[in-house]
Amino acid sequence: MAEKEESQNPTPPPPVTETEQPPSTATAVKGPAVTSQTEEQPPAAPAVENRSLAAMMEKEASAPEKTKEDVVAADSVEKEKQPPPVQPEEPKIPQTLISFKEESNVIADLSDSERKALQELKQLVQEALNNRHFTSPKEEEKEKQPPPSSDAPKTDGPSSESDKSTEIKPPQEQQAPAEVAPPPPQPPAEEEVSIWGVPLLKDDRTDVILLKFLRARDFKVRDAFVMIKNTIQWRKDFGIEALLNEDLGDDLEKVVFMHGFDRDGHPVCYNVYGEFQNKQLYAKTFSDEEKRMKFLRWRIQFLERSIRKLNFRPGGVSTIFQVNDLKNSPGPGKRELRIATKQALQLLQDNYPEFVAKQVFINVPWWYLAFHTMISPFMTQRTKSKFVFAGPSKSAETLFKYISPEHVPIQYGGLSVDYCDCNPEFTIDDPATEITVKPATKQNVEIIIYEKCTVVWEIRVVGWEVSYGAEFVPEAKDKYTIIIQKPTKLSPTDEPVVCQRFKVDELGKILLTVDNPTSKKKKLLYRFKVEPF
């Protein structure tokens, strides 16, 4: 649900000093863009580990009752070497939009210090792969454990002492020469590790992966390496690869879904928390720890499947645009939802760094202040810098700054619906035009006709409260104007999008008229296509 990331669940941030400059509203919109403790350097050879182990054993023999205390003391000494943690700033309520520009993943665009940090991190990862440091101790024990011998004699029941001596002694004599002259130890094979379907250090996609960890840790190489190790171990413990193919049902498909792309080509993920007003769905999802864990696994599965579709090549799109709809969302009094949100935030921030291009919260309710105070301490400052908030009256306008109307779902003020028989005319590939209608003014849209054809158009005024009419005006002066639709006042409860078609057998123009009698600006959206005879 949330991203500690990135990832993905709603969590409001504090204000920032910079004010985001929204992109200017275009009158014509094109289609989507094609669209640990502080670790020292990992030991280079097993001999170092053997010496430290021997020292510990010798110390244990001299003072066995203080072994645990000594270990704790040694650990505290190591922690004292770490720089003191930076205290997070006290969360504040955001007042303005935040200026955040997504950094480039192209090596040539990095600064010298960033390229140096990336190279150092790649060396640490290569050493860890060579020495199999990403393999957990349990996995190493399993690999080292020899398989049961198939040559050993089998007995169906207890044997006498004389039988045991005759069965065991001959194999011992045969194995003795092998024990005296064992074959030289073979160096461990290089470990193969993949994250989000990308094998580490196999191609240039690794650079994009490692840059995510570096940016999440302010390009501190050692901290980024520790984060990578922890993420790899968590993925093994959580069973990510098996989770991808697990069937967790489709009860939540309306809660979280992907739809369209933003203006920069990022896939857009919608999180609709109002769905949890359904008491049955809420209880089925959050009522106990087992259900909350299933929800968490479902959310991680959805995120993993979405990430696998991203382009991790330098210059590709490797982040997701998140939209969080808080309309009718359960308030902060829902304890179960708070617990699930906190768990998701922690996992996403620790294990999915830099996967959010932008977090936009729409239909933000009054209890947002309390929600922000509760969640903000669990987010990094960098994560907070990607957040944008909009109340109900500004939600569609805010979305259009980042997502063109043909990609915005119809329920959020756009023109996009799932392609079906009820809407065969237009798709997200058909660009729309945006016009701002000033208060107490009329706005005309002209569609010029150059040939005999059928004209199909869609028109929408977000929130309506305007009058709309359409007519055909022939080019010939001796012809009469044809009324396609008389001016009709449309309310917010009327059909959100009007789709019409008109057959034209002479030159002229179709005139669409919107009369805004209110004192508010209105957003007019339209698009059309011509079908020749």
Coordinates of all heavy atoms in Angstrom, one line a residue, residues 289-332:
E289 N -4.0 -10.8 12.3 CA -2.6 -10.7 11.8 C -2.4 -11.6 10.6 O -1.7 -11.2 9.6 CB -1.7 -11.2 12.9 CG -0.2 -11.2 12.5 CD 0.3 -9.7 12.2 OE1 -0.3 -8.8 12.8 OE2 1.2 -9.6 11.4
E290 N -3.1 -12.7 10.5 CA -3.0 -13.6 9.3 C -3.5 -12.9 8.1 O -2.9 -13.0 7.0 CB -3.7 -14.9 9.6 CG -3.6 -15.9 8.4 CD -4.3 -17.2 8.7 OE1 -4.8 -17.4 9.9 OE2 -4.5 -18.0 7.8
K291 N -4.7 -12.3 8.2 CA -5.2 -11.6 7.1 C -4.4 -10.4 6.7 O -4.2 -10.1 5.5 CB -6.7 -11.1 7.4 CG -7.7 -12.3 7.5 CD -9.1 -11.8 7.8 CE -10.1 -12.9 7.8 NZ -9.8 -13.8 8.9
R292 N -3.8 -9.7 7.6 CA -3.0 -8.5 7.3 C -1.7 -9.0 6.6 O -1.2 -8.3 5.7 CB -2.6 -7.7 8.6 CG -3.8 -6.9 9.2 CD -3.3 -5.9 10.2 NE -2.9 -6.6 11.4 CZ -3.6 -6.9 12.4 NH1 -4.9 -6.7 12.4 NH2 -3.1 -7.5 13.5
M293 N -1.2 -10.1 7.0 CA 0.0 -10.6 6.3 C -0.3 -11.1 4.9 O 0.5 -10.8 4.0 CB 0.6 -11.8 7.1 CG 1.8 -12.4 6.5 SD 3.1 -11.2 6.1 CE 3.6 -10.7 7.8
K294 N -1.5 -11.6 4.7 CA -1.9 -12.0 3.3 C -2.0 -10.7 2.5 O -1.6 -10.7 1.3 CB -3.2 -12.8 3.3 CG -3.7 -13.2 2.0 CD -5.0 -13.9 2.0 CE -5.4 -14.3 0.6 NZ -6.7 -15.1 0.6
F295 N -2.6 -9.7 3.0 CA -2.7 -8.4 2.3 C -1.3 -7.9 2.0 O -1.1 -7.4 0.8 CB -3.5 -7.4 3.1 CG -3.4 -6.0 2.6 CD1 -4.1 -5.6 1.5 CD2 -2.5 -5.1 3.2 CE1 -4.0 -4.3 0.9 CE2 -2.4 -3.8 2.7 CZ -3.1 -3.4 1.5
L296 N -0.4 -8.0 2.9 CA 0.9 -7.5 2.7 C 1.6 -8.3 1.6 O 2.3 -7.7 0.7 CB 1.8 -7.6 4.0 CG 3.2 -7.0 3.9 CD1 3.1 -5.5 3.6 CD2 3.9 -7.2 5.2
R297 N 1.4 -9.6 1.6 CA 2.0 -10.4 0.5 C 1.4 -10.1 -0.8 O 2.1 -10.1 -1.8 CB 1.8 -11.9 0.9 CG 2.6 -12.4 2.0 CD 2.4 -13.8 2.3 NE 2.9 -14.7 1.2 CZ 4.1 -15.0 1.0 NH1 5.1 -14.6 1.7 NH2 4.4 -15.8 -0.1
W298 N 0.0 -9.8 -0.8 CA -0.6 -9.5 -2.1 C -0.1 -8.2 -2.6 O 0.2 -8.0 -3.8 CB -2.1 -9.3 -1.9 CG -2.9 -8.9 -3.1 CD1 -3.4 -9.8 -4.1 CD2 -3.1 -7.6 -3.5 NE1 -4.0 -9.0 -5.1 CE2 -3.8 -7.7 -4.8 CE3 -2.9 -6.3 -3.0 CZ2 -4.3 -6.6 -5.5 CZ3 -3.3 -5.2 -3.7 CH2 -4.0 -5.3 -4.9
R299 N 0.1 -7.2 -1.7 CA 0.6 -5.9 -2.2 C 2.1 -6.0 -2.7 O 2.4 -5.3 -3.7 CB 0.6 -4.9 -1.0 CG 0.9 -3.4 -1.4 CD -0.2 -3.0 -2.3 NE 0.0 -1.6 -2.8 CZ 0.8 -1.3 -3.9 NH1 1.3 -2.3 -4.6 NH2 1.0 -0.1 -4.3
I300 N 2.9 -6.8 -2.0 CA 4.3 -7.0 -2.5 C 4.3 -7.7 -3.8 O 5.0 -7.4 -4.7 CB 5.1 -7.8 -1.4 CG1 5.2 -6.9 -0.2 CG2 6.4 -8.1 -2.0 CD1 6.0 -5.6 -0.3
Q301 N 3.4 -8.7 -4.0 CA 3.3 -9.4 -5.2 C 2.9 -8.5 -6.4 O 3.5 -8.5 -7.5 CB 2.2 -10.5 -5.1 CG 2.1 -11.4 -6.4 CD 0.9 -12.3 -6.3 OE1 -0.3 -11.8 -6.4 NE2 1.1 -13.6 -6.2
F302 N 1.9 -7.6 -6.1 CA 1.5 -6.7 -7.2 C 2.6 -5.7 -7.5 O 2.9 -5.5 -8.7 CB 0.3 -5.8 -6.6 CG -0.3 -4.9 -7.6 CD1 -1.3 -5.2 -8.5 CD2 0.2 -3.6 -7.7 CE1 -1.8 -4.3 -9.4 CE2 -0.3 -2.7 -8.6 CZ -1.3 -3.0 -9.5
L303 N 3.4 -5.2 -6.5 CA 4.5 -4.4 -6.8 C 5.6 -5.1 -7.6 O 6.1 -4.5 -8.6 CB 5.0 -3.8 -5.5 CG 6.3 -2.9 -5.6 CD1 6.0 -1.7 -6.5 CD2 6.8 -2.5 -4.2
E304 N 5.9 -6.3 -7.2 CA 6.9 -7.1 -7.9 C 6.6 -7.3 -9.4 O 7.4 -7.2 -10.3 CB 7.2 -8.4 -7.2 CG 8.0 -8.3 -5.9 CD 9.5 -8.2 -6.2 OE1 9.9 -8.6 -7.3 OE2 10.2 -7.7 -5.3
R305 N 5.3 -7.7 -9.6 CA 4.9 -7.9 -11.0 C 5.0 -6.6 -11.8 O 5.3 -6.6 -13.0 CB 3.5 -8.5 -11.0 CG 3.4 -9.9 -10.5 CD 2.0 -10.4 -10.4 NE 1.9 -11.8 -10.1 CZ 0.8 -12.5 -9.9 NH1 -0.4 -11.8 -10.0 NH2 0.8 -13.7 -9.5
S306 N 4.6 -5.5 -11.2 CA 4.7 -4.2 -11.9 C 6.2 -3.8 -12.2 O 6.5 -3.3 -13.3 CB 4.0 -3.1 -11.1 OG 2.7 -3.4 -10.8
I307 N 7.0 -4.1 -11.2 CA 8.4 -3.7 -11.4 C 9.1 -4.5 -12.5 O 9.9 -4.0 -13.3 CB 9.2 -3.9 -10.1 CG1 8.8 -2.8 -9.1 CG2 10.7 -3.9 -10.3 CD1 9.4 -3.0 -7.7
R308 N 8.7 -5.8 -12.7 CA 9.3 -6.6 -13.7 C 9.0 -6.1 -15.1 O 9.7 -6.4 -16.1 CB 8.8 -8.0 -13.6 CG 9.0 -8.7 -12.3 CD 10.5 -8.9 -12.0 NE 10.7 -9.4 -10.6 CZ 11.2 -10.7 -10.4 NH1 11.4 -11.5 -11.4 NH2 11.4 -11.0 -9.2
K309 N 8.0 -5.2 -15.2 CA 7.7 -4.6 -16.6 C 8.4 -3.3 -16.8 O 8.3 -2.8 -17.9 CB 6.2 -4.3 -16.6 CG 5.3 -5.6 -16.5 CD 3.8 -5.2 -16.5 CE 3.0 -6.5 -16.2 NZ 1.5 -6.1 -16.2
L310 N 9.2 -2.8 -15.9 CA 9.9 -1.6 -16.1 C 11.2 -1.8 -16.9 O 11.6 -3.0 -17.1 CB 10.3 -1.0 -14.7 CG 9.2 -0.6 -13.8 CD1 9.7 -0.1 -12.4 CD2 8.3 0.5 -14.4
N311 N 11.7 -0.7 -17.4 CA 12.9 -0.8 -18.2 C 14.1 -0.3 -17.4 O 14.3 0.9 -17.1 CB 12.8 0.1 -19.5 CG 14.0 0.1 -20.4 OD1 14.9 -0.7 -20.2 ND2 13.9 0.9 -21.4
F312 N 15.0 -1.3 -17.0 CA 16.1 -0.9 -16.2 C 17.4 -0.5 -17.0 O 18.5 -0.4 -16.4 CB 16.5 -2.1 -15.3 CG 15.5 -2.3 -14.1 CD1 14.5 -3.2 -14.2 CD2 15.5 -1.4 -13.0 CE1 13.6 -3.4 -13.1 CE2 14.6 -1.5 -12.0 CZ 13.7 -2.5 -12.0
R313 N 17.3 -0.4 -18.3 CA 18.4 0.1 -19.1 C 18.6 1.6 -18.8 O 17.7 2.3 -18.5 CB 18.1 -0.1 -20.6 CG 18.0 -1.5 -21.0 CD 19.3 -2.2 -21.0 NE 19.2 -3.6 -21.4 CZ 20.1 -4.5 -21.4 NH1 21.3 -4.2 -20.9 NH2 19.9 -5.8 -21.8
P314 N 19.9 2.1 -18.8 CA 20.1 3.5 -18.6 C 19.3 4.3 -19.5 O 19.3 4.1 -20.7 CB 21.6 3.6 -18.8 CG 22.2 2.3 -18.5 CD 21.1 1.3 -18.9
G315 N 18.6 5.3 -19.0 CA 17.8 6.1 -19.8 C 16.3 5.6 -19.9 O 15.4 6.3 -20.5
G316 N 16.1 4.4 -19.5 CA 14.7 3.8 -19.5 C 13.9 4.3 -18.3 O 14.4 5.0 -17.4
V317 N 12.6 3.9 -18.3 CA 11.7 4.3 -17.2 C 11.7 3.2 -16.2 O 11.3 2.0 -16.5 CB 10.3 4.5 -17.8 CG1 9.3 4.7 -16.6 CG2 10.2 5.6 -18.8
S318 N 12.3 3.5 -15.0 CA 12.4 2.4 -14.0 C 11.7 2.9 -12.7 O 12.1 2.4 -11.6 CB 13.9 2.2 -13.7 OG 14.6 3.4 -13.3
T319 N 10.8 3.8 -12.8 CA 10.0 4.2 -11.6 C 8.5 4.2 -11.9 O 8.1 4.2 -13.1 CB 10.5 5.6 -11.1 OG1 10.4 6.5 -12.2 CG2 11.9 5.5 -10.5
I320 N 7.7 4.3 -10.9 CA 6.2 4.3 -11.0 C 5.6 5.6 -10.5 O 6.1 6.1 -9.4 CB 5.7 3.1 -10.3 CG1 6.2 1.8 -10.9 CG2 4.1 3.0 -10.4 CD1 5.9 0.5 -10.1
F321 N 4.6 6.1 -11.2 CA 3.9 7.3 -10.7 C 2.7 6.8 -9.9 O 1.9 6.0 -10.3 CB 3.4 8.1 -11.9 CG 2.8 9.4 -11.5 CD1 3.6 10.6 -11.7 CD2 1.5 9.5 -11.0 CE1 3.0 11.8 -11.4 CE2 1.0 10.8 -10.7 CZ 1.8 11.9 -10.9
Q322 N 2.6 7.2 -8.6 CA 1.6 6.7 -7.7 C 0.5 7.7 -7.5 O 0.8 8.9 -7.2 CB 2.2 6.3 -6.3 CG 3.2 5.2 -6.3 CD 2.5 3.8 -6.3 OE1 1.3 3.8 -6.0 NE2 3.2 2.8 -6.6
V323 N -0.7 7.3 -7.6 CA -1.9 8.2 -7.2 C -2.6 7.5 -6.1 O -3.0 6.4 -6.2 CB -2.8 8.4 -8.4 CG1 -4.0 9.2 -8.0 CG2 -2.1 9.1 -9.6
N324 N -2.8 8.3 -5.0 CA -3.5 7.7 -3.8 C -4.8 8.5 -3.6 O -4.8 9.7 -3.3 CB -2.6 7.9 -2.6 CG -1.2 7.2 -2.8 OD1 -1.1 6.0 -2.7 ND2 -0.2 8.0 -3.1
D325 N -5.9 7.8 -3.8 CA -7.2 8.4 -3.7 C -7.7 8.2 -2.3 O -8.0 7.1 -1.9 CB -8.2 7.8 -4.7 CG -9.6 8.4 -4.6 OD1 -9.7 9.5 -3.9 OD2 -10.5 7.8 -5.2
L326 N -7.9 9.3 -1.5 CA -8.3 9.2 -0.1 C -9.8 9.5 0.1 O -10.2 9.6 1.2 CB -7.5 10.1 0.8 CG -6.0 9.9 0.7 CD1 -5.3 10.9 1.7 CD2 -5.6 8.5 1.1
K327 N -10.5 9.6 -1.0 CA -12.0 9.8 -0.9 C -12.6 8.7 -0.2 O -12.5 7.5 -0.5 CB -12.6 10.0 -2.3 CG -14.1 10.4 -2.2 CD -14.6 10.6 -3.7 CE -16.1 10.9 -3.6 NZ -16.6 11.1 -5.0
N328 N -13.4 9.0 0.9 CA -14.1 8.0 1.7 C -13.2 7.0 2.3 O -13.6 5.9 2.7 CB -15.2 7.3 0.8 CG -16.3 8.2 0.3 OD1 -16.6 9.1 0.9 ND2 -16.7 7.9 -0.9
S329 N -11.9 7.3 2.4 CA -11.0 6.4 3.0 C -11.3 6.3 4.5 O -11.6 7.3 5.2 CB -9.6 6.9 2.8 OG -8.6 6.1 3.5
P330 N -11.1 5.1 5.1 CA -11.3 5.0 6.5 C -10.3 5.9 7.3 O -9.2 6.1 6.9 CB -10.9 3.5 6.8 CG -11.2 2.8 5.5 CD -10.8 3.8 4.4
G331 N -10.8 6.5 8.3 CA -10.0 7.5 9.1 C -8.9 6.8 9.9 O -8.8 5.6 10.0
P332 N -8.2 7.7 10.6 CA -7.0 7.2 11.4 C -7.5 6.3 12.6 O -6.7 5.7 13.3 CB -6.3 8.5 11.9 CG -7.4 9.5 11.8 CD -8.3 9.2 10.7

